[in-house]
């Protein structure tokens, strides 16, 4: 029998709250993380909103060097002392879309200003995306498996899936898994040029939706074998029941027109968990608010869930925190763990005219018994990843 995997700690840095409690309360309250961009001048753009993490001081969670605060938050939330784990048995798996593009932007600004002498040697240690996971490992002294997965907006789920494989194979006792992306001019410009950014608000699944809004954030989950978690008396938010991965193999940016890749990811996750579609209590949608994504996602959900689709609640927290890129599905996985643990579902905000006949949990959080939650993530390149989290019954 393969190992059962427990989620014992959650760390969150989001535009609507920092830390598990603040972020969760913000999402349940329908708090908006959208405001005019402060990171750079947007006067050259026709859109000006973003979902930035404002007023955040990482100092309380950083001991030795600049690392992802969400990682130590998650470890503290799990009640796990890093020194209680053999370093070589503790690993890190992180996902990202862009890595540290702000460092590239800083370098470019100095180059254009003729001030390259102001770019110090720390640049080399900051800009490569693999340094995100490496910095987490150095900060915590984790000397085991260390992996960075850049599968764009599905990267958080991909990192979680990889961590599950490592734990099932017995190659680690504890894995930190999640995703991180910072707000950047490069990312914002790309989506603005695509005409994909909504001018006023993000409205997933609404008939009048006008696009996504870029955001930033990070989330880390502490994963460990269930037996180990029980033995140390850990609080268990949920069990990581299964995952499914796929690629559309269709187009660089456009999803498969029938949602084939998304269907395969969901079906594989259900098979891995030994579950049927009708057993799923809640779906955390990718739900970007772009016309094409939302249409194809609802099509794929209807293909997989059939008659169960209309009665399965599905919501998108991107309506509040925007699209946090590689952090998105990691944040959403943490939200699924909380939904399973606390039997509450966050809403899809700004939903006025649903385009489909599904239950999108419009505009208000809902009390709902959540036994099994599905977290869906779809990315450029056709990368798809679905993760299932199951209620842990004592």
């Amino acid at each position: 029998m393969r190992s059962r995997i427990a989620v014992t700690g959650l760390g969150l840095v989001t535009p609507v709250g920092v830390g598990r409690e603040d972020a969760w309360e913000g999402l349940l309250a329908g708090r908006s993380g959208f405001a005019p961009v402060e990171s750079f001048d947007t006067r050259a753009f026709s859109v000006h909103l973003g979902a930035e993490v404002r007023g955040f001081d990482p100092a309380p969670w950083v001991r030795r060097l600049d690392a992802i605060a969400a990682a130590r938050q998650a470890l503290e939330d799990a009640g796990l002392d890093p020194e209680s784990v053999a370093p070589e048995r503790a690993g890190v798996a992180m996902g990202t879309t862009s890595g540290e593009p702000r460092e590239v932007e800083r370098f470019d600004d100095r180059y254009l200003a003729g001030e390259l002498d102001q770019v110090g040697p720390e640049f080399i240690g900051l800009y490569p995306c693999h340094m995100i996971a490496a910095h987490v490992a150095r900060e915590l002294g984790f000397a085991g498996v260390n992996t960075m997965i850049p599968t764009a907006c599905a990267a958080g789920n991909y990192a979680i899936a990889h961590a599950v494989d490592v734990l099932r194979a017995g190659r680690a006792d504890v894995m930190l898994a999640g995703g991180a992306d910072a707000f950047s001019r490069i990312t914002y410009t790309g989506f603005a040029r695509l005409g994909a950014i909504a001018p006023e608000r993000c409205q997933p699944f609404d008939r009048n939706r006008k696009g996504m809004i870029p955001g930033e954030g990070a989330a880390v989950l502490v994963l460990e074998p269930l037996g180990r978690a029980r033995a140390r008396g850990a609080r268990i938010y949920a069990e990581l029941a299964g995952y499914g991965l796929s690629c559309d193999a269709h187009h660089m940016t456009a999803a498969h027109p029938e949602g084939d890749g998304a269907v395969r990811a969901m079906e594989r996750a259900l098979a891995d968990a030994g579950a049927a579609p009708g057993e799923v209590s809640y779906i955390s949608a990718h739900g970007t608010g772009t016309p094409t994504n939302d249409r194809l996602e609802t099509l794929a959900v209807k293909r997989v869930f059939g008659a169960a689709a209309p009665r399965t609640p599905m919501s998108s927290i991107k309506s509040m925190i925007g699209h946090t890129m590689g952090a998105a599905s990691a944040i959403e996985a943490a939200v699924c763990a909380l939904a399973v643990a606390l039997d509450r579902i966050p809403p899809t905000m700004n939903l006025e005219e649903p385009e489909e006949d599904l239950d999108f949990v419009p505009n208000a959080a809902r009390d709902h018994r959540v036994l099994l939650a599905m977290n869906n993530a779809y990315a450029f390149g056709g990368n798809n990843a679905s993760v299932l989290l199951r209620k842990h019954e004592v």
Side-chain angles (χ1 to χ4, degrees), residues 60-61 95 176 179 181 183 197-198 204 207 212 275 287-288 321 354 384 388 392:
W61 297 285
L176 298 184
D181 260 296
F183 206 85
I197 299 179
R207 188 179 306 277
M212 52 81 80
T288 61
I321 67 171
N384 309 294
L388 282 168
H392 174 65

Side-chain angles (χ1 to χ4, degrees), residues 113-126:
E115 299 171 346
L116 277 181
D117 58 324
Q118 295 185 25
V119 178
E122 71 277 1
F123 171 75
I124 301 300
L126 292 175

Side-chain angles (χ1 to χ4, degrees), residues 61-69 71-72 92 94 100 103 122-142 146 148 176:
W61 297 285
V62 177
R63 303 289 187 271
R64 291 196 289 271
L65 46 82
D66 290 336
I68 301 170
R72 191 175 289 278
V92 179
M94 293 294 294
E100 292 288 358
E103 293 303 313
E122 71 277 1
F123 171 75
I124 301 300
L126 292 175
Y127 90 89
C129 71
H130 67 263
M131 293 303 293
I132 296 174
H135 284 164
V136 172
R138 288 181 60 198
E139 174 74 22
L140 302 174
F142 281 15
N146 191 275
M148 200 73 208
L176 298 184

Side-chain angles (χ1 to χ4, degrees), residues 11-15 27 156 179 216-221 317 321 324 326-336 375:
L12 288 154
V13 177
T14 81
L27 291 169
E216 65 178 344
V220 172
L221 288 71
I317 65 170
I321 67 171
T324 56
S329 56
I331 294 172
E332 289 151 3
V335 166
C336 282
N375 181 34

Side-chain angles (χ1 to χ4, degrees), residues 281-282 336 339-341 343-345 368-373 389-391:
S281 314
Y282 168 59
C336 282
V340 166
D343 290 320
R344 299 203 72 190
I345 296 175
H368 183 76
R369 181 74 168 161
V370 183
L371 299 177
L372 187 65
L389 295 100
R390 177 178 281 130
K391 187 178 288 294

Side-chain angles (χ1 to χ4, degrees), residues 23 65 67 76 111 130 156 162 188 226 238 256 318 334 339 357 380 394:
L65 46 82
E76 292 178 356
Y111 174 79
H130 67 263
H162 176 63
Y188 199 88
L226 180 60
H256 189 279
K318 290 184 179 71
D357 58 344
F380 280 179
V394 179

Side-chain angles (χ1 to χ4, degrees), residues 131-194:
M131 293 303 293
I132 296 174
H135 284 164
V136 172
R138 288 181 60 198
E139 174 74 22
L140 302 174
F142 281 15
V145 173
N146 191 275
T147 309
M148 200 73 208
I149 301 178
T151 44
C153 304
N157 268 1
Y158 266 83
I160 291 168
H162 176 63
V164 168
D165 283 346
V166 170
L167 291 167
R168 285 177 177 174
R171 292 188 283 126
D173 295 326
V174 174
M175 287 292 295
L176 298 184
D181 260 296
F183 206 85
S184 78
R185 191 168 66 229
I186 293 172
T187 301
Y188 199 88
T189 300
F191 282 103
R193 291 289 297 273
L194 287 172

